[in-house]
Amino acid sequence: MSLYALKRESGSSVFRQIASALEAEIKARYRPGDRLPAEPELTERFGVNRHTLRHAVDVLVEAGLLERRHGRGTFVLSLIDYAISTRTRFTEQLESQGRSTDTEIMRRLIVPAANGVARRLGLAEGADVLFLETRRHADGQPFCLVSHFLPAMDYAEPLEAYTGGSLHAFLSDCLSLRLRRVESLVTATLPQGDDAGLLSMPRNAPVLRVKSLNVSEATGEPVEYALTRFRADRTQLSVMV
């Protein structure tokens, strides 16, 4: 027996009525990070089958209110505080918050530097740069994509040994090279290319895009230009000055 009165002849589809009821309940009773009741409990409450319930939950996942975690359940989406400072390190920062992290290398190529990349790195346009694209996970979920550009002449060979984790920690440990961020430009935009798929997010939801320039702490020479795309529904950026 349903514990919630659905209007099956109202013209509003059943799954959308369930989505609206769940949204109101979440906003009234839940906090970010809370887990929703298990599927059997919700199907009994609404008197529907699992397919209809999952369709309703899909609506809230696409709206950025919920996220599914494989093997763990469905959770109210929580914002992750991410500080942008002169020495930001993804792994250290999130693990200090008690979150698990992981880094995948998606692409590793030598490409000609486009005008914007060349200018920031102090290179001639068309000079060879190492292009690394990484996907960062927080608590097992895609969090951001980072396109790293570094002068190929100096860093392509040493970075063949880089297999994941903090790129800046690798440069520090293996090359005794400490980086300092000197520029961060933040904008909101829709995901481009295959970013939405790689971040497991809708194409009509925004990302926070951060363009960063990192220089050698010792010499001040440009070392890395990075373009990071954060899921806006999961991220709160704190700019440290």
Side-chain angles (χ1 to χ4, degrees), residues 96-107:
S96 71
Q97 300 177 32
R99 298 181 181 274
S100 62
T101 64
D102 181 51
T103 301
E104 296 176 83
I105 297 176
M106 312 300 293
R107 300 180 180 91

Side-chain angles (χ1 to χ4, degrees), residues 36-228:
L36 256 60
E39 245 183 29
E41 180 180 336
L42 291 175
T43 55
E44 181 178 359
R45 179 192 302 178
F46 291 104
V48 296
N49 59 36
R50 289 189 174 186
H51 175 76
T52 301
L53 178 69
R54 288 173 183 170
H55 203 168
V57 171
D58 286 342
V59 172
L60 301 183
V61 170
E62 291 179 4
L65 189 64
L66 297 175
E67 66 175 343
R68 290 187 175 95
R69 299 180 187 173
H70 183 68
R72 297 177 61 190
T74 304
F75 293 79
V76 179
L77 205 62
S78 58
L79 285 176
I80 295 175
D81 286 316
Y82 191 79
I84 297 177
S85 65
T86 56
R87 295 182 180 84
T88 298
R89 286 188 182 177
F90 171 83
T91 303
E92 289 181 4
Q93 189 172 155
L94 268 67
E95 289 183 352
S96 71
Q97 300 177 32
R99 298 181 181 274
S100 62
T101 64
D102 181 51
T103 301
E104 296 176 83
I105 297 176
M106 312 300 293
R107 300 180 180 91
R108 187 198 304 260
L109 302 167
I110 303 296
V111 299
N115 180 54
V117 173
R119 177 166 43 83
R120 286 179 171 87
L121 292 177
L123 301 172
E125 186 174 354
D128 285 347
V129 291
L130 172 64
F131 166 55
L132 279 173
E133 186 156 84
T134 59
R135 177 167 60 179
R136 311 296 178 89
H137 292 77
D139 295 335
Q141 301 298 312
F143 179 58
C144 67
L145 295 169
V146 189
S147 298
H148 311 262
F149 299 90
L150 302 94
M153 179 180 297
D154 298 321
Y155 301 105
E157 185 174 346
L159 284 173
E160 288 179 3
Y162 172 69
T163 58
S166 170
L167 177 62
H168 290 190
F170 178 90
L171 292 170
S172 177
D173 294 342
C174 297
L175 300 180
S176 299
L177 176 62
R178 291 176 61 84
L179 299 186
R180 175 171 55 88
R181 185 186 299 240
V182 295
E183 180 183 69
S184 294
L185 303 175
V186 183
T187 56
T189 185
L190 292 177
Q192 304 295 311
D194 57 356
D195 285 1
L198 291 174
L199 289 171
S200 300
M201 62 180 287
R203 294 190 63 85
N204 60 353
V207 294
L208 294 175
R209 182 173 63 185
V210 181
K211 298 177 181 179
S212 305
L213 179 63
N214 294 287
V215 303
S216 165
E217 192 174 80
T219 67
E221 293 182 356
V223 172
E224 178 203 25
Y225 172 64
L227 176 62
T228 306

